[in-house]
Amino acid sequence: MKNNFDPRGEYTRVCPYCRESFIAKHLSRFYCPYKNGRKNYCKKRQKRIMDNVRKSGGVILEHEKNPVKVFIAEPIIEKNNIDELIKVSQKDINCKILNGLLGEKTHVEISEVQLLQSGFDVKYFDSFESTKSGVRVFLLDRYCFFKNAKNNLIYITLKQKFYGTK
C-alpha cells in the first residue's frame, strides 16, 4: 500500500515556489511539506514574496495556486518617474501660455513679472543655445524666448521666425 499511495494522481502536486513535484498527504496541501530541513519552507518564502509584491502596489492573480501570475501595470510614461511626469506637464503648460501670449503675432515682448504671473515656470524648457554675444536663447517646442538686455523684457517668438528656417 505504501508503494502505491496515489494511484489516480490526485495527490501529486507541483510546488508553486520551487516547482518540484511531491505527493501530498491531503488535498489541501499545495507547497512542499519540508524543504532544506524546514517545515513549510516554500510556503513561507512564497508568502513573503507575495506580501512584498502587494506592498509595492502589484496585483497578484492566483489560479489554483499553480502557477502564480503577477500583473504589473504599465507606467504612465516611459521614464517611470514622477519627476519626469511633472516636467512634461509643466512644459505643456508653458507651451499653452506662450501660445496664448503670442497668438497671431510674429513676436511679443513682455516683462518677466507678467510672464511669471501668467503661470509660466522658467525652469522648464527643452534646451538653450548661447549666441555669440552671450545671450541665452531658450527653446520650448516651437517657441524660443530670451531676455532682451536693452529693455529687460522677455522676447518671445517662433523658432522659424528667430532662426529664419521653415
Side-chain angles (χ1 to χ4, degrees):
M1 185 75 177
K2 285 186 177 184
N3 292 341
N4 201 4
F5 177 73
D6 190 21
R8 288 186 269 169
E10 59 191 357
Y11 288 87
T12 302
R13 299 271 194 258
V14 175
C15 177
Y17 179 75
C18 68
R19 303 286 187 221
E20 288 185 14
S21 177
F22 68 96
I23 296 177
K25 298 223 184 222
H26 51 83
L27 287 175
S28 62
R29 177 168 293 283
F30 294 99
Y31 295 91
C32 303
Y34 289 94
K35 182 69 113 192
N36 297 337
R38 294 182 180 161
K39 185 176 180 181
N40 293 325
Y41 176 82
C42 293
K43 181 179 178 181
K44 290 176 184 175
R45 300 281 295 199
Q46 184 74 11
K47 183 179 184 316
R48 187 176 337 145
I49 290 170
M50 292 167 79
D51 288 344
N52 288 339
V53 169
R54 283 188 190 104
K55 285 179 188 174
S56 67
V59 178
I60 298 173
L61 305 173
E62 296 183 51
H63 178 63
E64 298 177 13
K65 298 284 184 188
N66 193 15
V68 173
K69 296 178 184 176
V70 177
F71 172 74
I72 300 172
E74 288 292 320
I76 296 171
I77 57 175
E78 290 180 13
K79 303 293 188 229
N80 215 13
N81 187 338
I82 190 67
D83 294 334
E84 282 297 317
L85 180 62
I86 292 169
K87 185 176 178 182
V88 168
S89 63
Q90 188 59 48
K91 280 183 178 181
D92 289 343
I93 292 169
N94 283 353
C95 283
K96 288 177 184 174
I97 292 169
L98 292 178
N99 187 39
L101 290 172
L102 198 57
E104 295 294 320
K105 302 173 192 166
T106 58
H107 73 280
V108 69
E109 287 185 301
I110 187 171
S111 73
E112 190 172 359
V113 173
Q114 287 175 314
L115 186 62
L116 295 175
Q117 285 176 345
S118 68
F120 190 85
D121 194 339
V122 294
K123 296 182 297 220
Y124 298 100
F125 52 88
D126 291 332
S127 63
F128 70 89
E129 296 177 11
S130 294
T131 62
K132 292 179 182 178
S133 60
V135 176
R136 280 191 175 177
V137 178
F138 296 91
L139 306 171
L140 177 64
D141 194 32
R142 60 188 193 114
Y143 304 98
C144 64
F145 56 96
F146 63 92
K147 190 169 191 172
N148 191 339
K150 293 179 185 174
N151 56 12
N152 258 356
L153 294 176
I154 305 294
Y155 184 89
I156 303 167
T157 187
L158 295 173
K159 281 184 194 177
Q160 67 186 31
K161 300 290 183 188
F162 186 74
Y163 287 108
T165 60
K166 290 185 179 184

